[in-house]
Structures are given as C-alpha cells and as structure tokens.
Amino acid sequence: MASSFESATPHFFKVILPQTLTQSKLAIPHKFVRKHGEALETEEVRLKVASGAEWKVGLTKNDEKIWFEKGWEEFVKFYSVEIGHFLTFRYEGNSCFHVVIFDKTASEIEYPLGCGGKVKKRERFSISEEATKFQSLTMNPSFMVTMGASYLHTGKSYLSIPQWFANAHMESPKEMSVEVSDGRVWKILCGERWPHGVKRVEMRGGWRDFARDNGLKKGDICVFELMETSELSFKATIFRSGCRG
C-alpha cells in the first residue's frame, strides 16, 4: 500500500448554493467531521479572515451532522457572500478556522475593515496573538489549547489533545512528561477513547495536578512543544489572560 501524508492543518471548502443562504447555516462536510471531530467538540468556533477580524460562530449538532449557525448569517452579510462564492476553511487548532473567500471571478475578495462580529476583548486578543506568534516561531511540533472552564473543573481530570497532532506524533501514547520554564516536570498519563469510532487522545492522570500547580485559569493559553518524540517529552509555555477571575 502506498504511503500517504496528512496535513497538520486540515482544510475543507464550500461552494455557496441558494439553500446555503436561505437556511442561514452552513453544513460542515461529513468526512471532515468524522476525521477531525475534536475541532468541533465545543459549542462555538472562531472564523478568522485575512484582515485579522475574528467571528464567533455557534455550532448546531444533530447525530453526526454539524452546521455553522448562530452568527453565520452575520458573517455572510458582512462579507457580502453570494451564491457562487467559494470559501475555504483551514483548521488552525484552538477551535479556530482561517477562512478565505473567493468571489465569482475566482479571486479572493477585499475584506472590509471593522467588524460587528469581532468578539474578543482586547486583553484576550493580545494574549492570543502572542501565543500564536510564539507557536509559529517554534521549530518543534506543537499544539495550542485555550483553557476553558471545563478543563479546570475539579470533576474533570483530562485535557483533549488535537486529533491531527495525536495522529501525527502520538501513535500509542502511555505517558508523557511536561516541563515548564522554571524546570519543574510533571508525568501525565495518556488515555484513549473512541467516540463514533474516531480515536481521541487525552491527558488524564496528572493533568489536574499540572493545572493546579501552575495556577491555570479560564482564558489562559498553553503551547505544548514536543521536544523528544521517543519519550513524549513536552515543554509547556503558558500565556496568562488578563482576566483572572
């Protein structure tokens, strides 16, 4: 069997049809949902365009079908998306898709500035920019996670690792070590689960200790760099949110 290569930043595209506009929602391709469902486990995602504007869009789920819905109509109206337009969606991790919009001439549109749907508070936007820039400059494979309340609840003791990263770098994970900037190291047990037949890799035993010992709060961002593949040794860089409540 011939070998294959899977992109670390998976894409899908959609051609805008009449029903796309009349239904005020956009169906995400079933194959993308099946292969990259961890990107869609949240209640909403962020759509980012070349101007830097970001929009929060809610997800509607029914069985194994998922749509962009709440906020999608405002996005379409703001960028004057019409029947025949062609949109590509590149998943960048951290529940964020980079969207490129092509008009009927097959050329990328000029994105208007100003955005009623731009949703980040300034302190969160600064922190996200810093973390994204840092990750782009790392020479090692890495993934980024924004701490949501669910990751920090005392009743939940695991953190999901992006599926694309786990598939590429964590074939049969059992244990990983995570070091922070001051040299402290935590051993964290890895586990797998298979919702809808798709593998999910998670940090389990030890994750709660790591989060507590490092004072992680909602809105903080962690960039995990894979420093040693054979030993699954990671370095974690923490970007702290201005909102510490």
Side-chain angles (χ1 to χ4, degrees):
M1 180 181 293
S3 59
S4 61
F5 175 81
E6 184 172 352
S7 172
T9 53
H11 299 61
F12 69 89
F13 72 87
K14 297 291 290 189
V15 176
I16 302 302
L17 302 174
Q19 59 265 35
T20 309
L21 300 182
T22 57
Q23 294 175 354
S24 300
K25 61 182 180 180
L26 183 75
I28 299 172
H30 177 71
K31 185 175 181 180
F32 187 93
V33 172
R34 180 170 54 83
K35 293 186 65 177
H36 307 290
E38 91 289 343
L40 306 167
E41 290 183 341
T42 57
E43 296 297 319
E44 59 185 19
V45 295
R46 291 174 294 123
L47 304 183
K48 181 171 66 176
V49 297
S51 66
E54 294 188 15
W55 298 67
K56 277 186 179 178
V57 174
L59 299 177
T60 298
K61 305 174 184 180
N62 184 11
D63 294 331
E64 295 185 0
K65 298 178 181 179
I66 303 181
W67 296 264
F68 295 143
E69 187 162 10
K70 184 178 180 181
W72 171 250
E73 185 173 13
E74 289 77 10
F75 178 89
V76 166
K77 289 180 178 178
F78 188 82
Y79 293 107
S80 301
V81 175
E82 300 176 356
I83 296 170
H85 282 196
F86 181 99
L87 280 66
T88 64
F89 298 81
R90 182 181 74 230
Y91 183 58
E92 298 188 329
N94 199 30
S95 299
C96 181
F97 288 84
H98 184 272
V99 184
V100 180
I101 305 172
F102 299 89
D103 63 20
K104 295 176 184 177
T105 69
S107 301
E108 187 174 4
I109 69 167
E110 293 184 6
Y111 300 91
L113 299 177
C115 175
K118 196 166 183 178
V119 295
K120 288 177 172 287
K121 292 183 179 179
R122 182 59 193 171
E123 61 271 13
R124 294 184 181 179
F125 182 72
S126 297
I127 183 176
S128 180
E129 277 192 332
E130 292 171 8
T132 301
K133 183 177 180 180
F134 173 84
Q135 185 185 23
S136 70
L137 295 174
T138 61
M139 300 299 293
N140 303 305
S142 64
F143 65 94
M144 183 169 68
V145 180
T146 299
M147 294 299 111
S150 60
Y151 293 139
L152 304 172
H153 286 164
T154 56
K156 184 174 182 179
S157 58
Y158 65 86
L159 177 74
S160 296
I161 295 172
Q163 184 185 3
W164 62 265
F165 186 92
N167 288 344
H169 303 290
M170 305 175 70
E171 183 176 355
S172 298
K174 301 297 182 184
E175 184 180 76
M176 59 190 287
S177 64
V178 182
E179 180 179 355
V180 294
S181 59
D182 62 10
R184 292 177 297 156
V185 178
W186 286 259
K187 294 290 186 181
I188 299 178
L189 298 178
C190 298
E192 296 179 1
R193 61 186 179 95
W194 295 79
H196 307 295
V198 178
K199 183 174 77 171
R200 298 282 186 270
V201 177
E202 299 163 341
M203 298 186 202
R204 292 184 178 173
W207 163 251
R208 187 185 300 175
D209 293 338
F210 176 87
R212 181 196 63 226
D213 295 346
N214 287 284
L216 294 180
K217 302 292 184 182
K218 180 181 178 181
D220 290 350
I221 297 177
C222 292
V223 177
F224 295 90
E225 295 180 71
L226 180 58
M227 309 301 290
E228 174 55 53
T229 303
S230 61
E231 301 294 331
L232 281 183
S233 176
F234 287 80
K235 177 182 178 183
T237 302
I238 302 171
F239 297 82
R240 301 195 183 275
S241 168
C243 295
R244 308 299 294 169

